Amino acid sequence: MKAVYVHVPFCRDICAYCDFTRCRYHAGLADQWLIAVKRELQEKLAQVSVETVYIGGGTPSALNSRQLEQLLKLLAPYTTQVQEYTVEANVESLDEDKMKLLKRYGVNRISLGVQTLQPVLLSIIGRRHTREEVVERIRQLHQYGIHNISIDLIYGLPQQTMEMWQDDLQDIVQHFQISHISLYALTIEEHSQFGRDGVENIDADVETDMYLYAVSYLKKHGFIQYEISNFAKPNAASLHNQMYWNYEDFCGIGCGASGKSGHIRYDNTRNLHTYLQKGSCPDIIELSRQDEMFEMLMMALRMKKGMSLSLFRERFAADFETIYSAPLQKNIANGMLQVKDDHVRTTEEGMLLLHDVLVDFLSEETL
């Protein structure tokens, strides 16, 4: 097992767009949750050292300093060989004491939930930080020796204009000392605040234009697009997320976490009280050979480099170009895919229409 994901379900505030497994922070519940995490780690990992750790949520920085240190201590036996150790954080709950703790326990990458710099949009989505606070957190992180900093941005927000989006990107590229940007189109989930309020997506063409502008602008300013939604300075692409896209096994810890091991995928219970009382209680999905072939392709085509044909052959003792000949040739002819340097990858147009490309492969019968 090379990768571990830990899901922290607590948030100080609930964002209007969020439908992840989360609840308002409560110190007593967080203490109980840490006990359950310790138990699950012992059950699943034993003394394995892993290459990447990603603590996400929820909001890991919502934990108080004592609880954050306890979580980092629980993970310490498994991180002796860690190459990339990421923690998600919100600007408003990441203070200097927590930064010192993160550095002390080997965390070397921070993912900051910025989303937007526009005050009106921050109010709409329920975020409390300001642009100036974002800049200050980034400065402090560098001061404490954590230099690999990623920020999340959302496009397609209610009332967000193209001008707002352009202003944010230009400001960030010109003034923020970061090495990675993740972009997310707003998805309105049924059980989010936006979903309950009946908020509708902005015009699809405007959303597409926002994405295309970001791709072009970031490329011109030194950010390499290595995956549909992710852009990095040289040597700053996320190692952990590439584990997912390369279809490697990974261990999921915590309520709401998912994992993959061998020929199964599992989803831990999303109910915090169930997790505290009974443990992970996972829903287990057994994967057929056909499932795994398709999922490997689905994940790998998100990356610019695409899927390794030799790795596919090694994993399945089968030739991809033979098994998927019809959909592959169709999408090559349509200008959506190309085969080059032992990889099948999308073209620029194919990346924009990846869902349609994958439908062709999903319907293909394989042995």
Side-chain angles (χ1 to χ4, degrees), residues 32-286:
Q32 293 178 53
W33 173 81
L34 285 163
I35 294 170
V37 165
K38 178 179 181 180
R39 185 167 57 242
E40 189 181 4
L41 282 168
Q42 292 171 339
E43 291 170 354
K44 287 185 175 177
L45 283 185
Q47 292 299 315
V48 176
S49 289
V50 297
E51 295 178 12
T52 69
V53 175
Y54 193 109
I55 305 177
T59 311
S61 58
L63 298 172
N64 65 36
S65 294
R66 174 185 59 79
Q67 292 163 339
L68 179 60
E69 181 167 23
Q70 189 173 343
L71 176 60
L72 296 171
K73 280 183 177 179
L74 291 176
L75 290 166
Y78 314 104
T79 61
T80 55
Q81 305 298 320
V82 73
Q83 297 176 25
E84 181 186 89
Y85 196 161
T86 302
V87 175
E88 290 182 350
N90 278 0
V91 175
E92 56 268 39
S93 58
L94 182 62
D95 59 34
E96 293 190 69
D97 285 343
K98 292 174 185 176
M99 293 181 197
K100 293 175 186 176
L101 280 174
L102 295 172
K103 178 62 176 178
R104 186 189 312 158
Y105 283 89
V107 173
N108 55 19
R109 185 174 184 271
I110 295 292
S111 177
L112 277 179
V114 174
Q115 318 313 350
T116 178
L117 301 176
Q118 305 292 324
V120 65
L121 300 182
L122 287 167
S123 177
I124 288 171
I125 65 177
R127 302 304 289 266
R128 299 176 182 273
H129 64 257
T130 65
R131 176 198 179 277
E132 290 70 28
E133 287 172 329
V134 177
V135 172
E136 178 62 10
R137 293 300 173 275
I138 292 171
R139 185 196 67 78
Q140 291 170 329
L141 285 166
H142 284 293
Q143 176 186 334
Y144 287 107
I146 301 177
H147 304 297
N148 193 357
I149 302 169
S150 176
I151 65 171
D152 292 347
L153 296 175
I154 298 180
Y155 61 97
L157 291 167
Q159 300 184 31
Q160 186 180 33
T161 65
M162 176 62 84
E163 289 72 25
M164 288 177 175
W165 180 238
Q166 292 172 341
D167 286 348
D168 277 358
L169 287 169
Q170 291 168 17
D171 190 7
I172 287 164
V173 166
Q174 293 172 22
H175 301 117
F176 288 35
Q177 193 177 352
I178 59 171
S179 53
H180 191 282
I181 297 176
S182 296
L183 306 181
Y184 299 96
L186 176 66
T187 301
I188 297 175
E189 303 288 355
E190 178 183 358
H191 299 294
S192 69
Q193 186 63 51
F194 278 165
R196 292 191 295 272
D197 291 345
V199 173
E200 296 183 356
N201 285 108
I202 66 170
D203 182 83
D205 289 339
V206 175
E207 186 178 284
T208 299
D209 288 344
M210 287 178 169
Y211 174 76
L212 292 174
Y213 175 82
V215 170
S216 174
Y217 185 80
L218 292 173
K219 180 179 179 180
K220 289 177 183 176
H221 291 83
F223 285 86
I224 301 163
Q225 184 184 19
Y226 67 101
E227 190 265 351
I228 289 178
S229 303
N230 286 273
F231 304 76
K233 293 287 183 69
N235 303 312
S238 169
L239 299 179
H240 182 85
N241 287 341
Q242 288 182 83
M243 295 284 189
Y244 302 148
W245 300 323
N246 286 319
Y247 206 53
E248 301 281 357
D249 285 354
F250 64 99
C251 179
I253 300 292
C255 56
S258 298
K260 187 176 82 73
S261 179
H263 303 295
I264 67 165
R265 189 171 59 250
Y266 58 88
D267 299 311
N268 286 356
T269 177
R270 291 170 61 96
N271 186 293
L272 177 60
H273 292 286
T274 299
Y275 182 74
L276 297 181
Q277 294 167 14
K278 300 180 181 180
S280 58
C281 298
D283 288 330
I284 295 175
I285 302 99
E286 294 187 8

